[in-house]
């Protein structure tokens, strides 16, 4: 291994990025309670720390940094995220991220590291390899989702035969697929100019498999993203693409397949779209979950106006939202103090990062559009694949929210798009003297990276105990639920969600007891709730619980 050769570091980063693109979407662990979300977040954190270690090693031993055409909006996005964390209603929650989501500052920093790793270590002629990996991962996920839809895992997951795939949620699967579909088209239509090779049928079949899986998810956001981004693909790729024989043939096949799927009630997207509306008193209006979303968006706008500068803090919507919940939402969906997303990425930007963050978010996306147009001057087909993928991701996000399982891929793609506009530099073996100071610097960095990797272990261990706590609580074994919740908190004392299960179990023990024993359980519940409120002072769940405790004690004459 030649540490003076930049290629040594570039290859290591490339392999680690491949591991991230493959591992994060596909990996899940049934040994922990959050089988999908936490396992992916921890894997991302571990792989990103390794990427950071290689990147810093290169920077220390062979100082060199590339600039990206997206530097300004990306760094502004990072800046507002840091400010949002510092001024959050719960900085600790904003730093780590909420349970189930894990989209706090630590995860956002991982995205930034992935972006700049692509910019600094991946050459433009390697971009296609990454696109192939993304599509193949999508095909594997699609096959798994189709298998679930056919009943292959009926009863294993709560969703039944809904295609969750390796994402644990059909919306998250759809969010990944809408980025992979344009890339499969790009790979199918791309020709090697020197060899003049014919389109590879594998990518055409991949396109059809990805599209079928997307339809089976029955996610309106995914369908909107795909439906509106497909014309953009051909607009950016140029009119000449539409004249190609394989495009015409493929279009006819897709149209016939779509008609066949529409004729089958179990696969027809029409019934799902019609479910958005309901007829009342001879009037057609929005109903069901779509109506709930509209009220959620209304609450999100109110929250944004209440925290206009930096927002209530990333991942902190749940702690600020209840005060601004419309009364109509309580009628439609019931009182909910646990809503932590608006199910609209744009509104969530305002909620979590304020109006300042909203402007930066628009700038960020306008800059992405500008990059795609610049790429189009060099390669129309490439611009079509990337532009359609980015647009589809943005559009589905207006009915969804960011998650590690697919946002990881988005930021990597963004880094690859930036790479295509950077003039490639030929790697040179630098004749530099690697002195003791540089080795010491690398040693310090290595120590911190090692500590970061070690910190993953207690978080993982905590969730293995928490899985047992949930199982015990659901079966009415509240003593065991308390025991395992406390074990989980001993490994991860800042996880508020663990406190919720602990307090619920203590509450049930207090409610089923009497006399001195009841008072003892109530005191333990009071203590646990106040510890949780020290972390999240505006958490409505614990105030509701404390009110319930006081009611129990009052009725008991205490």
């Amino acid at each position: 291994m030649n540490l003076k050769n930049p290629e040594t570091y570039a290859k290591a980063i490339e392999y680690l990025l491949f591991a991230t693109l493959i591992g994060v979407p596909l990996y899940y662990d049934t040994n922990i309670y959050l089988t999908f979300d936490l396992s992916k977040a921890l894997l991302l954190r571990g792989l990103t720390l390794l990427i950071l270690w290689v990147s810093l090693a290169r920077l220390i031993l062979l100082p060199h940094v590339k600039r990206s055409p997206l530097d300004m909006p990306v760094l502004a996005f990072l800046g507002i995220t840091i400010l949002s964390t510092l001024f959050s209603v719960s900085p600790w929650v904003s730093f780590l991220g909420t349970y189930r989501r894990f989209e706090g500052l630590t995860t956002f920093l991982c995205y930034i590291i992935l972006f700049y790793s692509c910019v600094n270590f991946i050459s433009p002629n390697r971009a296609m390899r990454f696109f192939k990996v993304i599509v193949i991962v999508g095909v594997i996920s699609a096959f798994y989702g189709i298998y679930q839809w056919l009943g292959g895992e009926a009863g294993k997951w709560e969703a039944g035969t809904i295609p969750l795939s390796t994402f644990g949620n059909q919306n998250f699967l759809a969010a990944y697929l809408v980025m992979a579909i344009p890339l499969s088209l790009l790979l199918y239509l791309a020709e090697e100019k020197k060899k003049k090779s014919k389109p590879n049928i594998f990518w055409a079949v991949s396109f059809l498999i990805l599209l079928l899986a997307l339809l089976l998810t029955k996610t309106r956001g995914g369908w909107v993203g795909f439906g509106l981004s497909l014309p953009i693909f051909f607009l950016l790729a140029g009119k000449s693409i539409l004249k190609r024989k394989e495009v015409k043939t493929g279009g006819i096949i897709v149209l016939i397949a779509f008609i066949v799927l529409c004729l089958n009630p179990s696969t027809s997207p029409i019934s799902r779209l019609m479910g958005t509306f309901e007829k009342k008193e001879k009037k057609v209006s929005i109903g069901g979950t779509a109506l709930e979303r509209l009220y959620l968006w209304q609450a999100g706008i109110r929250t944004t106006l209440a925290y206009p500068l930096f927002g209530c803090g990333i991942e902190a919507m749940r702690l600020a939202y209840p005060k601004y919940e419309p009364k109509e939402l309580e009628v439609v969906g019931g009182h909910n103090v646990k809503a932590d997303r608006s199910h609209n990425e744009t509104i969530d930007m305002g909620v979590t990062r304020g109006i300042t963050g909203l402007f930066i978010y628009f700038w960020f996306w306008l800059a992405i559009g500008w990059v795609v147009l610049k790429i189009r001057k060099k390669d129309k087909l490439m611009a079509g694949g990337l532009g359609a993928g980015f647009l589809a991701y943005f559009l589905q996000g207006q009915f969804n929210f960011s998650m590690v399982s697919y946002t990881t891929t988005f930021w990597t793609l963004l880094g690859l798009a930036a790479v295509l506009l950077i003039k490639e530099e030929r790697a040179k073996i630098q004749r530099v003297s690697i002195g003791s100071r540089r080795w010491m610097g690398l040693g310090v960095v290595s120590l911190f990276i090692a500590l970061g990797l070690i910190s993953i272990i207690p978080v993982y261990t905590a969730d293995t105990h928490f899985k047992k706590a949930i199982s015990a609580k659901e079966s009415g074994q509240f003593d065991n639920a308390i025991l395992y919740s406390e074990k989980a908190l001993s490994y991860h004392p800042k996880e508020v969600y663990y406190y919720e299960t602990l307090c619920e179990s203590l509450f049930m023990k207090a409610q089923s007891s009497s006399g001195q024993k009841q008072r003892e359980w109530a005191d333990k519940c009071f203590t646990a709730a106040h510890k949780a409120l020290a972390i999240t002072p505006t958490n409505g769940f614990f105030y509701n619980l404390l009110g319930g405790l006081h009611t129990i004690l009052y009725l008991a004459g205490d």
Side-chain angles (χ1 to χ4, degrees):
M1 181 184 293
N2 188 349
L3 296 179
K4 294 183 180 181
N5 187 351
E7 275 297 312
T8 301
Y9 305 93
K11 286 181 180 179
I13 291 292
E14 183 173 339
Y15 291 140
L16 286 169
L17 285 171
F18 282 149
T20 304
L21 287 174
I22 296 169
V24 172
L26 296 182
Y27 172 68
Y28 64 88
D29 190 337
T30 56
N31 293 311
I32 56 179
Y33 178 63
L34 281 186
T35 298
F36 298 97
D37 306 318
L38 180 60
S39 57
K40 295 177 187 299
L42 293 180
L43 180 63
L44 172 65
R45 195 174 302 174
L47 288 170
T48 306
L49 282 170
L50 292 175
I51 290 171
L52 180 62
W53 180 70
V54 176
S55 303
L56 291 176
R58 157 69 192 271
L59 186 62
I60 292 169
L61 300 179
L62 302 174
H64 179 70
V65 177
K66 290 182 183 177
R67 296 293 302 274
S68 154
L70 287 170
D71 278 350
M72 290 296 288
V74 167
L75 292 176
F77 203 173
L78 173 61
I80 191 62
T81 302
I82 292 172
L83 287 171
S84 171
T85 301
L86 293 174
F87 293 96
S88 171
V89 295
S90 178
W92 188 257
V93 169
S94 292
F95 179 72
L96 285 181
T98 56
Y99 195 70
R100 293 182 182 274
R101 310 305 186 198
F102 306 106
E103 283 285 315
L105 180 60
T106 51
T107 298
F108 194 82
L109 288 171
C110 290
Y111 298 151
I112 298 298
I113 291 168
L114 292 176
F115 173 81
Y116 278 107
S117 295
C118 288
V119 168
N120 281 277
F121 294 96
I122 305 303
S123 60
N125 59 9
R126 311 288 278 184
M128 280 295 195
R129 295 185 67 184
F130 285 85
F131 299 159
K132 289 176 181 178
V133 168
I134 292 169
V135 173
I136 290 171
V137 168
V139 170
I140 294 170
S141 302
F143 268 126
Y144 188 21
I146 293 169
Y147 171 71
Q148 290 172 325
W149 179 80
L150 292 171
E153 288 189 334
K156 183 175 181 180
W157 312 110
E158 291 181 5
T161 58
I162 294 175
L164 309 178
S165 188
T166 57
F167 292 78
N169 185 297
Q170 68 271 31
N171 294 304
F172 306 158
L173 171 61
Y176 186 94
L177 294 175
V178 295
M179 289 187 288
I181 288 173
L183 295 180
S184 66
L185 267 181
L186 164 62
L187 292 168
Y188 172 56
L189 297 173
E191 292 181 345
E192 296 180 23
K193 295 180 181 179
K194 293 182 180 180
K195 295 182 179 180
K196 295 183 179 180
S197 61
K198 293 182 179 180
N200 191 328
I201 194 67
F202 173 81
W203 304 117
V205 174
S206 297
F207 170 79
L208 294 174
I209 293 168
L210 295 170
L211 185 55
L212 174 61
L214 177 63
L215 286 171
L216 296 179
T217 62
K218 295 191 175 182
T219 55
R220 289 166 292 198
W223 293 345
V224 169
F226 167 74
L228 295 181
S229 65
L230 189 62
I232 298 301
F233 175 91
F234 291 106
L235 182 65
L236 291 170
K239 294 180 181 179
S240 60
I241 290 292
L242 293 172
K243 297 177 182 178
R244 290 171 60 167
K245 182 180 178 181
E246 58 270 20
V247 173
K248 294 178 181 178
T249 304
I252 293 171
I253 293 172
V254 170
L255 182 61
I256 293 172
F258 181 74
I259 292 171
V260 171
L261 290 170
C262 285
L263 294 174
N264 185 341
S266 64
T267 58
S268 174
I270 296 174
S271 58
R272 170 63 171 158
L273 292 172
M274 292 302 294
T276 305
F277 306 95
E278 59 183 27
K279 191 174 181 180
K280 288 183 177 180
E281 298 177 357
K282 298 182 180 181
K283 292 182 180 180
V284 177
S285 59
I286 296 174
T289 57
L291 183 59
E292 289 184 39
R293 297 282 174 86
L294 287 176
Y295 288 134
L296 269 174
W297 295 351
Q298 183 180 335
I301 293 170
R302 289 179 179 177
T303 309
T304 300
L305 296 175
Y307 300 89
L309 195 56
F310 302 125
C312 65
I314 57 172
E315 293 284 271
M317 173 179 164
R318 176 183 171 184
L319 306 176
Y321 155 84
K323 189 189 302 184
Y324 308 101
E325 181 185 76
K327 297 299 180 183
E328 297 87 347
L329 181 57
E330 293 192 26
V331 175
V332 175
H335 184 63
N336 182 9
V337 297
K338 290 189 176 183
D340 61 358
R341 292 292 190 278
S342 300
H343 288 265
N344 181 301
E345 192 73 357
T346 302
I347 292 176
D348 276 338
M349 283 295 151
V351 172
T352 60
R353 294 168 174 85
I355 296 173
T356 309
L358 205 53
F359 278 114
I360 291 173
Y361 180 68
F362 289 135
W363 175 27
F364 174 75
W365 276 104
L366 286 172
I368 292 174
W370 175 81
V371 165
V372 169
L373 292 177
K374 294 284 284 185
I375 292 173
R376 190 175 188 270
K377 293 180 180 179
K378 300 169 63 176
D379 190 330
K380 290 184 178 180
L381 196 55
M382 184 76 75
L386 287 170
F390 290 142
L391 179 62
Y393 174 86
F394 173 81
L395 291 172
Q396 67 81 30
Q398 306 316 299
F399 308 89
N400 201 0
F401 45 84
S402 297
M403 286 295 288
V404 168
S405 54
Y406 57 90
T407 306
T408 298
T409 301
F410 165 75
W411 277 96
T412 307
L413 269 178
L414 191 61
L416 293 170
V419 163
L420 296 173
L421 292 183
I422 299 175
K423 186 177 180 181
E424 187 174 2
E425 300 176 6
R426 189 175 180 182
K428 296 180 180 179
I429 299 178
Q430 298 186 26
R431 299 181 179 278
V432 296
S433 175
I434 303 177
S436 58
R437 288 186 178 180
R438 292 188 180 185
W439 285 117
M440 286 177 62
L442 181 58
V444 172
V445 167
S446 300
L447 176 62
F448 279 104
I449 296 295
L451 291 173
L453 290 170
I454 292 170
S455 70
I456 293 172
I457 297 173
V459 177
Y460 178 88
T461 305
D463 218 53
T464 61
H465 289 301
F466 187 62
K467 182 178 182 179
K468 296 175 183 176
I470 290 292
S471 178
K473 189 189 80 168
E474 290 176 349
S475 60
Q477 300 174 27
F478 297 113
D479 288 308
N480 284 335
I482 293 166
L483 173 65
Y484 287 117
S485 294
E486 288 175 341
K487 281 188 176 182
L489 284 164
S490 69
Y491 284 96
H492 194 2
K494 294 292 186 179
E495 183 48 72
V496 176
Y497 201 82
Y498 295 169
Y499 275 109
E500 290 185 10
T501 298
L502 173 61
C503 287
E504 284 175 336
S505 301
L506 289 168
F507 183 91
M508 295 304 294
K509 292 294 291 184
Q511 192 175 43
S512 61
S513 303
S514 60
Q516 183 60 30
K517 207 65 179 174
Q518 183 181 64
R519 183 70 208 191
E520 288 175 5
W521 287 117
D523 286 341
K524 289 181 179 179
C525 193
F526 276 124
T527 301
H530 284 296
K531 284 182 179 179
L533 286 170
I535 303 170
T536 56
T538 58
N539 195 318
F541 173 86
F542 294 102
Y543 289 110
N544 286 348
L545 182 123
L546 289 172
L549 275 176
H550 283 293
T551 302
I552 289 174
L553 295 176
Y554 172 78
L555 293 174
D558 190 351

